[in-house]
Amino acid sequence: MLACTLCYCTTENEADLLPEEERCGEQPASLAGDIIPIINQNCAISGCHILGSERVNLSVSENIIQYANQIRDFTQSGFMPAPESGKQLTDAELESVYCWVENGAMDN
């Protein structure tokens, strides 16, 4: 009996199929130049991840680095930014977050 009659790829992003070194290239995203602007525009906003909220304060670089894996996982899954925020990351922003974390979540 044939176990798989129809096999298909479930990813929606072609970059997910590339080996890591090809996906992220030789120019990894930087915290200061790429990640902080993404966080400031989409996460560290009123009612979300700022000082005084019940959530992790992502207006602090050290917290972004500390929670890098969760940020990657939540953004890649579409869980964050929360849909009710009206914010949505572009494919390029998602890729920047992914590659920054995969390349060590450096303070660069």
Side-chain angles (χ1 to χ4, degrees):
M1 176 179 236
L2 185 57
C4 178
T5 58
L6 177 63
C7 295
Y8 59 93
C9 181
T10 59
T11 185
E12 293 180 18
N13 187 344
E14 234 177 86
D16 291 338
L17 302 174
L18 297 174
E20 193 59 45
E21 57 276 359
E22 289 180 38
R23 178 173 179 184
C24 294
E26 294 186 21
Q27 295 294 327
S30 74
L31 177 64
D34 300 299
I35 305 308
I36 288 176
I38 293 169
I39 298 290
N40 286 343
Q41 292 174 1
N42 297 283
C43 310
I45 58 174
S46 179
C48 288
H49 295 278
I50 58 172
L51 182 64
S53 73
E54 295 180 13
R55 298 175 181 99
V56 173
N57 179 3
L58 295 180
S59 65
V60 178
S61 300
E62 292 81 12
N63 289 349
I64 296 171
I65 294 167
Q66 180 180 349
Y67 291 95
N69 288 327
Q70 284 183 312
I71 293 169
R72 178 203 52 214
D73 294 346
F74 287 172
T75 57
Q76 296 299 303
S77 70
F79 183 70
M80 290 288 164
E84 60 270 11
S85 73
K87 304 286 186 175
Q88 185 175 5
L89 301 185
T90 66
D91 288 343
E93 290 170 329
L94 288 167
E95 197 67 4
S96 289
V97 170
Y98 178 85
C99 289
W100 174 71
V101 174
E102 291 302 307
N103 286 308
M106 305 290 287
D107 186 0
N108 54 358

